[in-house]
Amino acid sequence: MDILSCLLVFGPMAAALLSYLIGRKSKLWRDRFVWLTVSAEFLLSLGLLFCPGGETTVPGICGLGLHFTADGFRSIYTAIAAFMWLITGLLSPEYFAHYRNRNRYYLFQLITLGATAGVFLSADLYTTFVFFEIMSLCSYVWVAQDESEAALRAGSTYLAVAVIGGMTTLMGLFLLWKELGTLGFDAMQSAKAASGADLTAASWLVVVGFAAKAGLYPLHIWLPKAHPVAPAPASALLSGILTKSG
């Protein structure tokens, strides 16, 4: 098992819970811990660029397990995401100085970081889907952070598009599995060539689901509502990483 890939995905999620506990005692030490976490994530992602890992499997998740591969563009995208979190994490304490519920924000910020790394390092569409949905649902908190009427309304729109898009993608994955018997990126093309299956419907369902997060027309309705109400560091991550992951 490639430990580095697991650290990049699950490390920030574990750190998120720890940061929440630290924040209940000291906000200063929580801010420092969060920045140390995103710094470590960035350094690990750089290590992945120069020392690419192999394949990693976490068995027992809904029978299919989670599969990661650390190579090529996967490592580059993970490093870019970690760099974005590093910069926003550096500037966030000053920006959030007068905000409420900062503990909650940092909790979901770090969970979303781990989920985003999971999306980029995934070796099959099932793993992509699992972490894509975690990323989408946790980032809802960013949009609704202010808890104002506009923020909650924008958050509801964001969440509705994310859930509908996720269910659409899931239907596409069911069809792909039925026709091909695999969701692995490296195996699907050969499976299609062997089976001669028509994947038009499945492909469109998957495309529509990811297009919702990418903000492609006509599924872009959440974008103009979410960005004005989300905190600036969250808006930077939404536009710079999360929409691009779609």
Side-chain angles (χ1 to χ4, degrees), residues 19-38:
S19 74
Y20 187 85
L21 295 176
I22 294 174
R24 299 184 68 175
K25 300 294 184 179
S26 170
K27 292 180 172 52
L28 175 62
W29 281 105
R30 177 208 56 211
D31 293 346
R32 290 176 176 174
F33 178 77
V34 169
W35 194 78
L36 286 173
T37 299
V38 295

Side-chain angles (χ1 to χ4, degrees), residues 13-140:
M13 295 182 177
L17 300 176
L18 188 54
S19 74
Y20 187 85
L21 295 176
I22 294 174
R24 299 184 68 175
K25 300 294 184 179
S26 170
K27 292 180 172 52
L28 175 62
W29 281 105
R30 177 208 56 211
D31 293 346
R32 290 176 176 174
F33 178 77
V34 169
W35 194 78
L36 286 173
T37 299
V38 295
S39 299
E41 182 83 353
F42 178 61
L43 291 175
L44 287 173
S45 68
L46 290 181
L48 206 61
L49 283 175
F50 296 104
C51 302
E55 295 185 359
T56 303
T57 299
V58 181
I61 307 298
C62 294
L64 297 179
L66 303 175
H67 302 273
F68 305 104
T69 299
D71 60 1
F73 282 107
R74 290 182 175 95
S75 301
I76 294 175
Y77 292 148
T78 303
I80 292 172
F83 178 74
M84 288 286 292
W85 254 269
L86 176 67
I87 298 303
T88 56
L90 180 64
L91 302 176
S92 289
E94 183 177 356
Y95 181 87
F96 283 108
H98 304 292
Y99 266 73
R100 298 182 298 112
N101 300 317
R102 284 175 287 174
N103 241 14
R104 181 184 66 192
Y105 172 81
Y106 286 120
L107 171 69
F108 286 98
Q109 185 206 35
L110 291 180
I111 293 176
T112 308
L113 170 58
T116 304
V119 169
F120 291 147
L121 293 174
S122 57
D124 58 48
L125 272 174
Y126 172 70
T127 304
T128 304
F129 173 77
V130 169
F131 287 103
F132 196 86
E133 291 307 297
I134 295 173
M135 181 188 74
S136 298
L137 296 177
C138 289
S139 56
Y140 156 79

